[in-house]
Every structure is written in C-alpha cells, then in structure tokens.
Amino acid sequence: MRVRLAIVAAVLLGVVGAFAYAAGWLTRGLTPARFIDTFERVNGVPPPSGFRRNHAKGMCATGLFESNGKGVAISKAVVFEAGRVPVVARFALAGGRPFAADTPENVRSLAILFWLPDGEQWRTGMNDIPVFPVSSPEGFHDQLVASAADPRTGKPDPAKMAGFLAKHPESARAIDLIKHRAVSSGFHDDTYNSLDAFWFANAAGASVPVRWSMVPVQAFEPAGAAQPSEASKNQLFDALIARVRNGPLQWRLVATIGEPGDPTNDATLAWPESRAKVDLGTLSLDRVESEDDGPCRDINYDPLVLPAGIEPSDDPLLSARSATYSESFRRRAGETKLPSAVTAAEARR
Amino acid sequence: MNAGAKGTGQFTLPARVLHWVMAAMILAMLFIGVSMVASLASYHALLSIHRPLGIAILILVIVRFAVRLIGPLPPFLATLSARERRLATGSEYALYALMFALPLVGWAMLSAARLPIALWGTWHLPPILPHSAWVYALLREVHAILAYLLFATFLLHLSTVLFHILVKRDRLLRRMLPWKA
C-alpha cells in the first residue's frame, strides 16, 4: 500500500518537476523576463510607467506604403503587389529613458506596421546604423550590463566596457563601424535598416536572403555640431514635426539580396556593397502625432509579425527580439500611461 | 452494466479517442506555453505551434462536449461513494470549462493587442475584441492563471486515476482505454 502510494507521488513529482524545468524555474539562464529586468535595472527602477523598456522615447507617424510591384518577383507577400497599404509608424531613440534629451548621435529607429488588405500584417523595427552592435541575445545582455552607469560616477565603467569588447570581438568591430557612420541631421533624412536578415519566398517557391532599408527621398544633410545650450530637449522630434507640416516625408523601401555565403545569422556583419538591390516602393508619412493620442503606443513592433512570403532567418536576435518585445509590451500594457516627452500639444503646434 | 456504450462499461469510441488525442495536445500545449515565455531562442518556433494548436483544441473541445452530451455514459464503479461521484463530475466540468476558456482567452488577448492570429500561410483568424492595451494586459494574466489552473486540475485528475489503478485496483481506467477492455 505504502509503496503504491509512493509510486503515485513519484509520478506526480516527476510531472511537476518537468513542468518547473520547462518554465525555467529551476535554472538561472537568461529569459525574456530577466532580460527586461536588466533593462529596468540599467535605466532606473521603477521604470517610467507605461513606456517601452527600450526605444522608450518616440512619436507616431501615419501614412501609406505604395508598392511598385517589383517585389513580386522575390516575395509572394501581399504587401509587394502593386498598390497602397496604410501604415502606422513610430520614430524613436534607442535607450530605455523616455524623458532623455535628444542628441544627434543617439541611435534612431523607425518601426512600421503595414496593414495588408487580406488581414495580414507586417511589422518591422529598423535602426539607422549600418550593422547591429551584437550578434546574439547574450551579447546584447552583456553590452547592456557593461554600459550601465556606475552609481558613483554616473557614467559607464570603462573597465566593464573594455571587458565586454574583449569578450565580444564581433561587437568591437561592429561598434567601430557604427561610430564612424555618417550621422544625418534628423529623422527625415536618415536611412533605417532591418539589420537582421530574412528570407523572401516567391510564388514559385524560390527563396532569397534579404535585408531591407528605408532610404530617404529627402536629401542627406550631416548633423551639425551639437549646441546643447540652445538645443531643445526634443530637438529631433520638433524638427520632424516641422518637416511633416511642410509636406509628406518619403522613403524608398529597398531590399538587398544576399548571395550564398553572406551571413544571415550575424547582424554585426555587413553584406558587400555590390549586392543586388530591389526598389520595392515608397513610404509616405504625412502626419505625426504624440504617443499620448497617436495610434502607435499600443502596438508591439514585433519583428516576427510577418506576412506569408517573408520568413525569419536563422539570426538568433529575431526570436529574442520577439520574446523580449512581448515581455516589455506585457508589462507596459497594464501600467498607467504617463504623458510622453513629446506632448500632444507639441505635435500639433 | 446498463448505460455505457452498449453496456460495455466503457465510454463511447469517439469519446475515448477524443480524450487521448486531446490529453496529448493539452499536455503538450501546457509545456509549450510555459517554456516559450521563458525562452529567447525557441520563443518564435514554439509560439508558431502554440497558436494553431490552441485553435485546434478550441474546435475539438466543442466537438467533444457535443459527444459528451449526446453519447451514453458508462455507469460509475460501485467502489465510488456518492461524494466521489460528485467530485468526479465536478472536475470533469472544470476541465471542460478550462479547455474551452484557455484558447478563447488566447484569441481574445491577441485580438486586444491587434496581433494577427496566424494559423497557416495567409490563413488567420479575425480579431474578436477591439484594440486595447489594458484589456490585453488583463487577458494575458487571465490566460496564465487559467493555464496554471488547468495544469493543477490535470494533476488532480492524474493522481485520482493513478490512485484507483495502483491503490484501489478497481479497473477505473478501463472505462477510458482506447481499445475494448
């Protein structure tokens, strides 16, 4: 009798143990929740209520994407059939501080949700850097910890940063490229890159690796020398608001086609400049709004919300981005929304 | 041996098949769910299984409940007291309620986040709620709580059956075995 009861207990314990292991409760490995905890710790606890844990400062933009139909040759995604689809976009600054002052050299991002006519969606988050500084989620986490401000000096500890670069030579190379990029004057004349690779699959079943970019129609102007005393806290966003008031801002969506041997699993490595490029169409943004009353705040720009015809590559950052964005969204969705740095009045001015 | 499937003392064949197929699906689903939210590397791959599997469970539980309502039931074993019979029926309905609510809340929660409920290719489900972050946050919590409740109810179900097989040895399992026993 006792032996048989013990068997019942052992089976139950085994099932519960397997469940706890699957849930990550028995190990200290990096999980989406622990990743977002680190973002919060680095940027100051408690996190400002209701904001994204990264790319926290931003504003919404809306308009449409007009496909020229050329993309149909490489992808069966509905978005590439000739025609127009509405978009909800978001311009933002990298970093987890929603009230930080704008600086020209801060990495800028453009996230876009394309509403496709068949009910599918395409969400993408792009940055204005030539390559990503890390190749893996662990590398991202190491960089985040190393770049945290030392509580005594208020600045990152150079020794920790040096340790990170020694451990991640791929990041040392990528960060060097990023530092030497040409910084544009504002959001409007900036180029935004997917960085991660994806696969485009056409109707015939052929697949090609692709990285895409939003290339501005507005002429590039280099960022001027920073004048922190004169510059407003929201100088980049204010300039964007002023630009849009003068007419729609436009970007060409350009797909760069990878060739065999081009890395699809390492966003720190650029593909050769000689790769074929396909102009897929034009993004036009004719309206900007504050996050407070705009349509982008409650959107999670998960880079793996893809229409049929665009597929994830083996880049490990993609699944990790999807997982951590979801965790960040889960937390902020339930929080009281503090007013954004770029206010509704400012966006309408 | 009066009711039952033609007096065999077993559940009807469709009921037995649905029971074991869904048992495997639901157990897989609970493990996929709890491990995907803890995983960076496998999150997307697991989520891509989680959504269509959840919708398949939602469809099957409706079919199964209809089978449960229509089909004859085998009688309780004589070894079960009146209280145990009430407990058995109660936990059965709790399982049905959770099997139905979990995928429905999942669908509703994705709807509130305006995330597409992609099933296969371009095939996807329409949203069933308006876009609302706070509704998403609430339903996301409810989804997790219901999943833990379902796992707990499953454990209770498993331990009861094991107790009958190993300790009481009253051939309770026979009623649900997929083959004629």
Side-chain angles (χ1 to χ4, degrees), chain B residues 114-135:
Chain B
R114 270 300 170 271
L115 284 161
I117 302 107
L119 299 180
W120 187 260
T122 61
W123 202 53
H124 56 269
L125 295 177
I128 51 174
L129 282 182
H131 189 185
S132 162
W134 77 264
V135 171

mmCIF file of all heavy atoms in Angstrom, chain B residues 114-135:
data_model
loop_
_atom_site.group_PDB
_atom_site.id
_atom_site.type_symbol
_atom_site.label_atom_id
_atom_site.label_comp_id
_atom_site.label_asym_id
_atom_site.label_seq_id
_atom_site.Cartn_x
_atom_site.Cartn_y
_atom_site.Cartn_z
ATOM 1 N N ARG B 114 -4.074 43.507 -31.121
ATOM 2 C CA ARG B 114 -4.072 43.609 -32.589
ATOM 3 C C ARG B 114 -2.948 42.782 -33.213
ATOM 4 O O ARG B 114 -2.447 43.092 -34.278
ATOM 5 C CB ARG B 114 -3.972 45.065 -33.066
ATOM 6 C CG ARG B 114 -5.322 45.729 -33.243
ATOM 7 C CD ARG B 114 -6.191 45.002 -34.287
ATOM 8 N NE ARG B 114 -7.557 45.493 -34.303
ATOM 9 C CZ ARG B 114 -8.529 44.999 -33.529
ATOM 10 N NH1 ARG B 114 -8.310 43.990 -32.714
ATOM 11 N NH2 ARG B 114 -9.756 45.479 -33.577
ATOM 12 N N LEU B 115 -2.552 41.724 -32.524
ATOM 13 C CA LEU B 115 -1.587 40.801 -33.102
ATOM 14 C C LEU B 115 -2.351 39.815 -33.960
ATOM 15 O O LEU B 115 -3.423 39.353 -33.564
ATOM 16 C CB LEU B 115 -0.813 40.064 -31.996
ATOM 17 C CG LEU B 115 0.263 40.900 -31.301
ATOM 18 C CD1 LEU B 115 0.647 40.287 -29.969
ATOM 19 C CD2 LEU B 115 1.482 41.058 -32.193
ATOM 20 N N PRO B 116 -1.836 39.497 -35.147
ATOM 21 C CA PRO B 116 -2.559 38.572 -36.014
ATOM 22 C C PRO B 116 -2.545 37.163 -35.419
ATOM 23 O O PRO B 116 -1.552 36.746 -34.826
ATOM 24 C CB PRO B 116 -1.779 38.613 -37.325
ATOM 25 C CG PRO B 116 -0.423 39.095 -36.961
ATOM 26 C CD PRO B 116 -0.567 39.933 -35.726
ATOM 27 N N ILE B 117 -3.658 36.443 -35.564
ATOM 28 C CA ILE B 117 -3.715 35.064 -35.087
ATOM 29 C C ILE B 117 -3.469 34.185 -36.303
ATOM 30 O O ILE B 117 -4.379 33.608 -36.885
ATOM 31 C CB ILE B 117 -5.051 34.757 -34.386
ATOM 32 C CG1 ILE B 117 -5.257 35.728 -33.220
ATOM 33 C CG2 ILE B 117 -5.063 33.330 -33.814
ATOM 34 C CD1 ILE B 117 -6.283 36.769 -33.460
ATOM 35 N N ALA B 118 -2.177 34.135 -36.698
ATOM 36 C CA ALA B 118 -1.795 33.414 -37.905
ATOM 37 C C ALA B 118 -1.863 31.928 -37.640
ATOM 38 O O ALA B 118 -1.393 31.444 -36.614
ATOM 39 C CB ALA B 118 -0.384 33.820 -38.314
ATOM 40 N N LEU B 119 -2.507 31.196 -38.558
ATOM 41 C CA LEU B 119 -2.610 29.755 -38.390
ATOM 42 C C LEU B 119 -1.726 29.034 -39.392
ATOM 43 O O LEU B 119 -0.857 28.264 -39.042
ATOM 44 C CB LEU B 119 -4.072 29.315 -38.545
ATOM 45 C CG LEU B 119 -5.033 29.924 -37.513
ATOM 46 C CD1 LEU B 119 -6.442 29.428 -37.757
ATOM 47 C CD2 LEU B 119 -4.612 29.599 -36.083
ATOM 48 N N TRP B 120 -1.931 29.294 -40.666
ATOM 49 C CA TRP B 120 -1.163 28.613 -41.697
ATOM 50 C C TRP B 120 -1.162 29.478 -42.944
ATOM 51 O O TRP B 120 -2.228 29.896 -43.393
ATOM 52 C CB TRP B 120 -1.785 27.241 -41.996
ATOM 53 C CG TRP B 120 -0.930 26.435 -42.927
ATOM 54 C CD1 TRP B 120 -1.103 26.265 -44.278
ATOM 55 C CD2 TRP B 120 0.254 25.725 -42.583
ATOM 56 N NE1 TRP B 120 -0.084 25.491 -44.781
ATOM 57 C CE2 TRP B 120 0.761 25.137 -43.771
ATOM 58 C CE3 TRP B 120 0.957 25.539 -41.378
ATOM 59 C CZ2 TRP B 120 1.928 24.379 -43.790
ATOM 60 C CZ3 TRP B 120 2.114 24.769 -41.403
ATOM 61 C CH2 TRP B 120 2.588 24.193 -42.603
ATOM 62 N N GLY B 121 0.047 29.747 -43.487
ATOM 63 C CA GLY B 121 0.142 30.578 -44.681
ATOM 64 C C GLY B 121 -0.495 31.933 -44.426
ATOM 65 O O GLY B 121 -0.213 32.576 -43.429
ATOM 66 N N THR B 122 -1.379 32.355 -45.329
ATOM 67 C CA THR B 122 -2.048 33.640 -45.135
ATOM 68 C C THR B 122 -3.325 33.469 -44.299
ATOM 69 O O THR B 122 -4.026 34.429 -44.023
ATOM 70 C CB THR B 122 -2.450 34.269 -46.496
ATOM 71 O OG1 THR B 122 -3.357 33.385 -47.151
ATOM 72 C CG2 THR B 122 -1.244 34.495 -47.371
ATOM 73 N N TRP B 123 -3.602 32.229 -43.884
ATOM 74 C CA TRP B 123 -4.849 31.940 -43.179
ATOM 75 C C TRP B 123 -4.732 32.365 -41.713
ATOM 76 O O TRP B 123 -3.797 31.982 -41.017
ATOM 77 C CB TRP B 123 -5.150 30.445 -43.266
ATOM 78 C CG TRP B 123 -6.595 30.135 -43.059
ATOM 79 C CD1 TRP B 123 -7.645 30.686 -43.715
ATOM 80 C CD2 TRP B 123 -7.138 29.210 -42.121
ATOM 81 N NE1 TRP B 123 -8.823 30.155 -43.257
ATOM 82 C CE2 TRP B 123 -8.540 29.249 -42.267
ATOM 83 C CE3 TRP B 123 -6.581 28.354 -41.171
ATOM 84 C CZ2 TRP B 123 -9.390 28.472 -41.495
ATOM 85 C CZ3 TRP B 123 -7.424 27.580 -40.406
ATOM 86 C CH2 TRP B 123 -8.814 27.637 -40.566
ATOM 87 N N HIS B 124 -5.667 33.195 -41.270
ATOM 88 C CA HIS B 124 -5.611 33.713 -39.905
ATOM 89 C C HIS B 124 -7.024 33.990 -39.414
ATOM 90 O O HIS B 124 -7.960 34.041 -40.212
ATOM 91 C CB HIS B 124 -4.777 34.988 -39.872
ATOM 92 C CG HIS B 124 -5.288 36.023 -40.820
ATOM 93 N ND1 HIS B 124 -4.841 36.131 -42.117
ATOM 94 C CD2 HIS B 124 -6.251 36.957 -40.675
ATOM 95 C CE1 HIS B 124 -5.509 37.090 -42.726
ATOM 96 N NE2 HIS B 124 -6.366 37.610 -41.879
ATOM 97 N N LEU B 125 -7.151 34.148 -38.109
ATOM 98 C CA LEU B 125 -8.470 34.410 -37.524
ATOM 99 C C LEU B 125 -8.710 35.910 -37.406
ATOM 100 O O LEU B 125 -7.775 36.679 -37.212
ATOM 101 C CB LEU B 125 -8.553 33.776 -36.137
ATOM 102 C CG LEU B 125 -8.481 32.251 -36.095
ATOM 103 C CD1 LEU B 125 -8.490 31.772 -34.653
ATOM 104 C CD2 LEU B 125 -9.653 31.650 -36.857
ATOM 105 N N PRO B 126 -9.970 36.345 -37.485
ATOM 106 C CA PRO B 126 -10.259 37.770 -37.300
ATOM 107 C C PRO B 126 -10.203 38.137 -35.810
ATOM 108 O O PRO B 126 -10.366 37.260 -34.957
ATOM 109 C CB PRO B 126 -11.702 37.886 -37.822
ATOM 110 C CG PRO B 126 -12.294 36.539 -37.565
ATOM 111 C CD PRO B 126 -11.173 35.550 -37.732
ATOM 112 N N PRO B 127 -9.965 39.415 -35.501
ATOM 113 C CA PRO B 127 -9.997 39.818 -34.089
ATOM 114 C C PRO B 127 -11.417 39.741 -33.536
ATOM 115 O O PRO B 127 -12.384 39.980 -34.265
ATOM 116 C CB PRO B 127 -9.481 41.260 -34.115
ATOM 117 C CG PRO B 127 -9.664 41.730 -35.520
ATOM 118 C CD PRO B 127 -9.610 40.523 -36.399
ATOM 119 N N ILE B 128 -11.530 39.395 -32.251
ATOM 120 C CA ILE B 128 -12.860 39.299 -31.630
ATOM 121 C C ILE B 128 -13.051 40.359 -30.551
ATOM 122 O O ILE B 128 -14.077 40.388 -29.884
ATOM 123 C CB ILE B 128 -13.122 37.886 -31.041
ATOM 124 C CG1 ILE B 128 -11.965 37.442 -30.139
ATOM 125 C CG2 ILE B 128 -13.371 36.877 -32.149
ATOM 126 C CD1 ILE B 128 -12.221 36.132 -29.408
ATOM 127 N N LEU B 129 -12.035 41.219 -30.362
ATOM 128 C CA LEU B 129 -12.158 42.322 -29.411
ATOM 129 C C LEU B 129 -11.532 43.565 -30.031
ATOM 130 O O LEU B 129 -10.633 43.451 -30.868
ATOM 131 C CB LEU B 129 -11.404 42.007 -28.104
ATOM 132 C CG LEU B 129 -12.040 41.063 -27.087
ATOM 133 C CD1 LEU B 129 -11.135 40.958 -25.866
ATOM 134 C CD2 LEU B 129 -13.420 41.528 -26.665
ATOM 135 N N PRO B 130 -11.967 44.773 -29.597
ATOM 136 C CA PRO B 130 -11.312 45.991 -30.089
ATOM 137 C C PRO B 130 -9.887 46.126 -29.526
ATOM 138 O O PRO B 130 -9.560 45.510 -28.506
ATOM 139 C CB PRO B 130 -12.220 47.118 -29.589
ATOM 140 C CG PRO B 130 -13.129 46.526 -28.586
ATOM 141 C CD PRO B 130 -13.122 45.047 -28.745
ATOM 142 N N HIS B 131 -9.056 46.920 -30.199
ATOM 143 C CA HIS B 131 -7.671 47.148 -29.778
ATOM 144 C C HIS B 131 -7.638 47.870 -28.432
ATOM 145 O O HIS B 131 -8.163 48.968 -28.302
ATOM 146 C CB HIS B 131 -6.983 48.001 -30.852
ATOM 147 C CG HIS B 131 -5.509 48.130 -30.673
ATOM 148 N ND1 HIS B 131 -4.723 48.916 -31.461
ATOM 149 C CD2 HIS B 131 -4.659 47.563 -29.776
ATOM 150 C CE1 HIS B 131 -3.454 48.827 -31.082
ATOM 151 N NE2 HIS B 131 -3.389 48.018 -30.052
ATOM 152 N N SER B 132 -7.052 47.252 -27.423
ATOM 153 C CA SER B 132 -6.965 47.888 -26.109
ATOM 154 C C SER B 132 -5.831 47.267 -25.319
ATOM 155 O O SER B 132 -5.828 46.065 -25.043
ATOM 156 C CB SER B 132 -8.280 47.712 -25.343
ATOM 157 O OG SER B 132 -8.063 47.941 -23.958
ATOM 158 N N ALA B 133 -4.839 48.101 -24.961
ATOM 159 C CA ALA B 133 -3.666 47.594 -24.237
ATOM 160 C C ALA B 133 -4.058 47.046 -22.872
ATOM 161 O O ALA B 133 -3.564 46.001 -22.453
ATOM 162 C CB ALA B 133 -2.615 48.694 -24.098
ATOM 163 N N TRP B 134 -4.934 47.753 -22.171
ATOM 164 C CA TRP B 134 -5.238 47.273 -20.812
ATOM 165 C C TRP B 134 -6.052 45.985 -20.829
ATOM 166 O O TRP B 134 -5.894 45.130 -19.962
ATOM 167 C CB TRP B 134 -5.850 48.369 -19.925
ATOM 168 C CG TRP B 134 -7.307 48.676 -20.174
ATOM 169 C CD1 TRP B 134 -7.793 49.667 -20.957
ATOM 170 C CD2 TRP B 134 -8.441 47.974 -19.635
ATOM 171 N NE1 TRP B 134 -9.153 49.621 -20.967
ATOM 172 C CE2 TRP B 134 -9.587 48.601 -20.154
ATOM 173 C CE3 TRP B 134 -8.607 46.884 -18.777
ATOM 174 C CZ2 TRP B 134 -10.877 48.180 -19.841
ATOM 175 C CZ3 TRP B 134 -9.898 46.468 -18.470
ATOM 176 C CH2 TRP B 134 -11.002 47.107 -18.994
ATOM 177 N N VAL B 135 -6.896 45.838 -21.841
ATOM 178 C CA VAL B 135 -7.632 44.568 -21.979
ATOM 179 C C VAL B 135 -6.641 43.437 -22.274
ATOM 180 O O VAL B 135 -6.741 42.339 -21.724
ATOM 181 C CB VAL B 135 -8.712 44.663 -23.073
ATOM 182 C CG1 VAL B 135 -9.332 43.294 -23.363
ATOM 183 C CG2 VAL B 135 -9.804 45.644 -22.656
#
